[in-house]
Amino acid sequence: MSQRLDDLPPTLRDRVSQLMAHSFNCLCVGVDSVGRLVEVFGDPAGLGLELPATGEPLEGFLPVLTGLDLSEAAELSALDLGGSAVVDLHVLPGNPAWLVLIDRRSEVAASRHFQQATNETRLVNAEQRRLMEQLIDSRAELALRKQEAEDSSRKKTEFIASMAHEFRTPLTSVLGYIQLLSARVAEDSGATEQLAAVDRAARHLLSLVENNLDQARLEAGSLVIHRVDADLRRLVDDLTVILAPLAADKGLSFGAYVEDEVPQNLWLDDVRLRQVLVNLLSNAIKFTDEGNVSLNVSWRDGWLDCEVHDTGPGIPENAQARIFEAFARLEHSELKPGAGLGLNISMRLAQLMGGELALRSQPGKGSAFILHLPARLARERDRSLVHGELGAQLKRRAGTRVPVLVAEDNPDIMQLLQAFLEPAGYALIKAQTGDEAVTRAMDQRPPLAILDMNMPGLSGMQVATRLREAGFGGRLLALTATRGSEHRHAALAAGFDEFMSKPVQMPHLLSTLERLLQDG
Amino acid sequence: MTRISRKVCIIGDFAVGKTSTVTRFVNNVFSEKYLTTVGVKIDTKDLELVDGRSLRMVIWDIAGSDRFSSAEFAYMRGAQGYLLVVDGTRKETLASALALRAAVEERYGALPFVLLLNKYDLVDEWSVSDAEIEALNKQGVLVLCTSAMTGKCVEKAFRDLAKSLTGVSAA
């Protein structure tokens, strides 16, 4: 090409000299005003191009000319014209107009290599950014879903707790009045049986409500274990009071034994222990048609064993694992009432308390459920610090009514308590609000006060706190539709001496009041 | 037969599938391998129009970029329409495309164009939302969901552009 530069018209020669290095392959194409080839300098084939004969239209061979204004100077770099032609194109207007095509194949190839790497890196970065954004979005979504699930679970638990609370208050009335009516219609065996049926149904309803509440709280992880100094013998006595009559109704013998080596006080959650044992013993009574049901409590090296034994039908080996699952119902149990939650709750409570619940059973030979719990020795509680002024003068004397303050806003419950307490030798001082309870307690200083926890105005908890602050020395019993060891723990911390959940069995209430008086 | 030629450009951000779209239209093939375009690649394709004429589309496939320099503006000179390509899986390429459109209109006035939402074969991974597509439609933008891999709507995109250039449908 260099030797042919001299052949170019002078103006084009100077321009081409400026544009190209001598090593470049260059093609100069002259085009007239209607797009016909006028003249060519250089080798088209060397650039990978084919051109028409002189005088023929050029556009069909060089499509780059489409839309190109040859009356204006232009510089277009790195044009891939198809085939192997990659050129820089310079348009030099004039007559003819000159197209100067400079071969750029090697430069563009090198540039492509670099650009390819750059773009691929950018794509990888963009993909990483996208994945990171997805990850962040996913985490946010997950956090939102988790929050929603927790909110939903909390609302469910609150709803169930609220419903359970709402159920307990009327059930307290139902069960209490059944007991009252039972005493009055004792001579009518037909009515007694009918009342017993109503009583069974009401108790079943109560157990369903409470089991559902506990199941919801276990699922929500909101059930907390509160260990206290617990008197095992007193707890077993209470169980006997509650369950022996049920066994007797079915003609079963019932025995509860606490071995001598069991310490008087152990550090455990007596509310949850009581719940598990009530459940195990109730089940044993429910599924045993003849023979006996027994509870044996032993203690060794910091571990408490409570074995509930029955002479019922027993449980086949292949069903023994399944029986602890929620809503599990064995074939022979379908005729018995229940939702299949009790054993599952008992097992989970045992685990929450750091122990386990085991089963030993053979079909036809009865069953034994063994509750194995850690229970270290507890300190003796020094009650005299709080209740030292209560003395022997508060012991009930024959013919003398013991005053008891009853603070309760529900008139049915008030009437029920009155129906039981007055025949048992108590004189009621009634209060319908928390404020009234404080006033009457401080005016009349009864040795006993039964306080409903949810009253208009001051709550039972606030009443207890005020009374203790004011130096009230009587025994305080919390009576509430709320259940759970954490509530009991809070009540005891506020100054209550005992805590009972509605519905309470009246004999149990009376024995508790008696015990409170004696302890004082 | 009368033959007319029209220069059209295909523009958009890098790796949105411009070259693959042209290759699908011109040669009806597709390669999974990504090859960067440097500068511009010029191809042609003849379409028969219903009025009996033949349209030669001279397609300038301009290297991907999210903004134009003087070189890209020079490539666009003389174009009578363009295809604006977006990668449906990369939301940012829609913004790039709209910025390019604005730049072209500022320099050369409103030219006919078709917006291609490409990579429809990966529609499950698209990050361009239906609402954004709807908004473009409401602005009067002709939007086509295309796939250079499957060929979906590629031919239609060029034919729609050809009709905008000539006022006549391709046969």
Side-chain angles (χ1 to χ4, degrees), chain B residues 11-14 16 65-68 73 82-87 90-107 109 113-117 128-129 131-143:
Chain B
I11 59 177
D13 212 333
F14 76 99
V16 295
S65 174
D66 55 357
R67 71 176 73 88
F68 274 179
F73 280 121
Y82 60 97
L83 296 175
L84 195 55
V85 187
V86 172
D87 177 351
R90 286 155 61 209
K91 193 182 180 70
E92 66 274 15
T93 64
L94 174 59
S96 304
L98 297 177
L100 293 180
R101 173 200 171 193
V104 168
E105 289 193 352
E106 187 180 347
R107 179 68 71 98
F113 75 97
V114 179
L115 192 147
L116 277 58
L117 282 173
V128 176
S129 67
E132 286 169 306
I133 298 172
E134 184 63 26
L136 289 168
N137 283 326
K138 282 185 178 169
Q139 293 170 30
V141 176
L142 176 56
V143 180

Side-chain angles (χ1 to χ4, degrees), chain A residues 59-60 63-64 66-67 72 75-82 108 111-112 115-116 119-120 122-123 126 129-130, chain B residues 3 5-7 13-15 34-36 38-42 44 56 58 60 74-75 77-78 89-90 92 125:
Chain A
E59 188 176 335
V64 69
T66 301
E72 285 186 22
E75 296 178 10
L76 298 166
S77 59
L79 302 183
D80 182 340
L81 302 179
V108 166
S111 179
R112 176 177 291 118
Q115 193 63 49
Q116 178 87 19
N119 285 0
E120 284 177 353
R122 289 171 69 190
L123 282 174
R129 200 163 52 244
R130 190 178 69 84
Chain B
R3 190 168 80 179
S5 295
R6 295 288 184 269
K7 172 181 175 178
D13 212 333
F14 76 99
Y34 167 57
L35 279 177
T36 302
V38 173
V40 63
K41 185 173 186 309
I42 300 170
T44 60
R56 168 160 290 185
V58 180
W60 289 48
Y75 294 148
R77 182 185 294 274
T89 68
R90 286 155 61 209
E92 66 274 15
E125 298 172 28

Side-chain angles (χ1 to χ4, degrees), chain A residues 217-230:
Chain A
R217 296 172 74 200
L218 281 164
E219 282 179 8
S222 62
L223 204 151
V224 181
I225 296 301
H226 285 289
R227 291 179 176 83
V228 295
D229 293 359

